[in-house]
């Protein structure tokens, strides 16, 4: 196996992201992990957690080629805007958070990193700093010049991708257009082939309305948009089943014979995914020219600095990034 380099961003400095990176550093890893973070923050949090982790500072021009030993962590030092206190948000560190993401994304684009793994950010405090920010997915799409990306969460035995992401429920029907549905489905299909090595992926597609519209009696989006779009994509060779009622799609009868589910909106598919695999799931951004995975949880400000956290989701994010990069 060829050793590769991956960027690790700790996200919100007042949250559990720095803790996760430090706890992960207790173990040895098959690839080079470089935390793009404030060395000062990591030293302070390690002391707070009672961890003896050696920080090995690196920078462009002297990238390491071998994984760090157990109980050590490579760090590309990125200065904080203000001191970070566990559990206490400050807008003064919004620029710091975005700087870590920018360094990681640009490093993936220039070949320094084979992929990036992200810990959770706090969208609210970044917006309070006067910076319009709706999430990692949208930020990385803009950074990489990608017109359309797809959010997918995965756990063992289930992958769920979304046609729409962070929209109010009242805005979802208007956003389910033929163009959007085609683009999202093609991206999902292509990345299942190219990044997950599935030769002919089978995708189950949810209807938008209860009972997938009940033949038009509970909504006409299935008849007027979803069904014709899926039929056109099938003619191009995509293996698509649906639209199916979401309340029966997520059962073994269907899931045993598919590679991914395409849900129409955030809370249609993700509650099932998180019920099945919370703490052992990964958030994947499809459609980017880079590999990006993330944890499936938030900043957990109340747990920062306590040590009472589980690294399971971050470990799955690492494993998935390795898989997607061909490692």
């Amino acid at each position: 196996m060829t050793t590769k380099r991956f960027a690790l961003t700790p996200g919100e400095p007042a949250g559990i992201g720095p803790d996760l990176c430090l706890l992960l550093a207790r173990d040895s890893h098959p690839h080079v992990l470089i935390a793009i973070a404030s060395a000062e923050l990591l030293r302070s949090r390690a002391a707070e957690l009672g961890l003896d982790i050696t920080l090995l500072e690196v920078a462009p021009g002297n990238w390491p080629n071998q994984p760090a030993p157990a109980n050590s962590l490579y760090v590309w030092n990125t200065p904080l805007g203000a001191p970070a206190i566990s559990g206490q948000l400050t807008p003064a560190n919004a620029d710091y958070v975005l700087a870590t993401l920018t360094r990681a994304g640009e490093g993936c684009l220039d070949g320094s990193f084979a992929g990036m793994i992200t810990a959770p950010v706090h969208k609210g405090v970044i917006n309070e700093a006067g910076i319009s920010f709706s999430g990692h997915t949208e930020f990385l799409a803009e950074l990489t010049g990608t017109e359309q990306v797809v959010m997918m969460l995965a756990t063992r035995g289930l992958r769920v991708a979304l046609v729409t992401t962070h929209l109010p429920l009242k805005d979802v029907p208007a956003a389910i257009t033929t163009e959007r549905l085609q683009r999202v489905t093609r991206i999902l299909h292509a990345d299942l082939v190219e990044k997950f090595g599935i030769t002919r992926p089978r995708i189950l597609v949810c209807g938008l309305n209860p009972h997938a519209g009940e033949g038009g009696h509970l909504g006409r989006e299935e008849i007027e948009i979803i069904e014709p779009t899926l039929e056109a994509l099938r003619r191009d060779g995509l293996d698509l089943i649906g639209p199916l009622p979401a309340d029966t799609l997520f059962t073994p009868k269907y899931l045993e014979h598919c590679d991914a589910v395409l849900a129409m909106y955030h809370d249609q598919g993700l509650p099932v995914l998180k019920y099945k695999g919370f703490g052992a799931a990964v958030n994947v951004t499809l459609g980017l020219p880079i590999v990006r995975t993330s944890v499936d949880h938030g900043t957990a400000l109340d747990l920062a600095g306590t040590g009472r956290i589980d690294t399971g989701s971050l470990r799955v994010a690492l494993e998935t990034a390795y898989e997607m990069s061909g490692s």
Side-chain angles (χ1 to χ4, degrees):
M1 180 180 68
T2 302
T3 300
K4 297 181 179 180
R5 283 189 302 272
F6 292 84
L8 181 61
T9 60
E12 168 53 47
I16 62 170
D19 309 44
L20 290 169
C21 295
L22 291 163
L23 290 169
L24 200 73
R26 296 178 300 179
D27 305 325
S28 58
H29 295 274
H31 294 285
V32 176
L33 299 178
I34 298 176
I36 303 178
S38 161
E40 173 192 355
L41 165 65
L42 294 177
R43 275 191 290 268
S44 172
R45 193 65 59 86
E48 191 173 355
L49 294 168
L51 296 175
D52 185 12
I53 303 295
T54 300
L55 301 182
L56 307 170
E57 292 197 30
V58 297
N62 73 330
W63 296 130
N65 294 314
Q66 297 298 322
N71 295 308
S72 62
L73 179 64
Y74 291 123
V75 181
W76 181 4
N77 185 39
T78 306
L80 288 166
I85 300 172
S86 297
Q88 298 183 26
L89 295 171
T90 172
N93 279 323
D95 284 332
Y96 158 80
V97 172
L98 299 185
T100 66
L101 297 179
T102 300
R103 284 183 165 186
E106 291 179 346
C108 290
L109 288 172
D110 70 21
S112 297
F113 307 124
M116 61 185 288
I117 301 96
T118 62
V121 298
H122 193 286
K123 301 180 186 71
V125 77
I126 296 174
N127 282 278
E128 286 174 19
I131 302 169
S132 178
F133 181 84
S134 56
H136 278 110
T137 302
E138 296 83 0
F139 181 85
L140 292 172
E142 183 176 353
L143 181 70
T144 60
T146 306
E147 182 178 349
Q148 177 75 55
V149 293
V150 175
M151 179 178 175
M152 182 178 81
L153 266 71
T155 190
R156 290 174 181 85
L158 181 62
R159 301 181 183 97
V160 177
L162 303 176
V163 177
T164 64
T165 53
H166 301 124
L167 284 180
L169 194 56
K170 66 181 178 61
D171 296 336
V172 169
I176 307 295
T177 63
T178 297
E179 180 185 23
R180 180 192 286 260
L181 184 55
Q182 279 197 348
R183 284 189 299 175
V184 168
T185 307
R186 289 188 186 279
I187 289 169
L188 173 59
H189 173 88
D191 273 14
L192 288 172
V193 173
E194 296 169 12
K195 293 179 178 173
F196 289 89
I198 302 170
T199 304
R200 182 171 167 76
R202 169 165 287 191
I203 299 168
L204 304 184
V205 182
C206 295
L208 172 65
N209 296 294
H211 301 178
E214 195 76 75
H217 296 288
L218 294 176
R220 297 192 57 81
E221 286 85 359
E222 286 78 10
I223 293 172
E224 295 175 0
I225 297 171
I226 301 174
E227 290 178 2
T229 302
L230 298 186
E231 187 55 40
L233 291 168
R234 290 188 193 103
R235 290 196 291 271
D236 286 344
L238 278 68
D239 189 357
L240 307 172
I241 309 298
L244 297 171
D247 64 340
T248 55
L249 181 155
F250 289 100
T251 57
K253 171 185 174 181
Y254 292 107
L255 295 180
E256 287 173 0
H257 305 290
C258 83
D259 298 295
V261 173
L262 182 60
M264 291 295 129
Y265 57 94
H266 189 280
D267 283 12
Q268 182 182 57
L270 297 194
V272 181
L273 185 289
K274 293 194 175 186
Y275 176 78
K276 177 178 174 62
F278 191 75
V282 58
N283 185 338
V284 183
T285 306
L286 304 177
L288 293 173
I290 64 175
V291 169
R292 180 262 169 164
T293 66
S294 185
V295 295
D296 70 342
H297 55 73
T299 54
L301 296 167
D302 58 322
L303 297 178
T306 69
R308 301 194 308 270
I309 59 174
D310 188 340
T311 60
S313 182
L314 184 58
R315 293 180 185 278
V316 176
L318 284 173
E319 294 166 4
T320 305
Y322 299 161
E323 177 187 1
M324 292 175 67
S325 70
S327 301

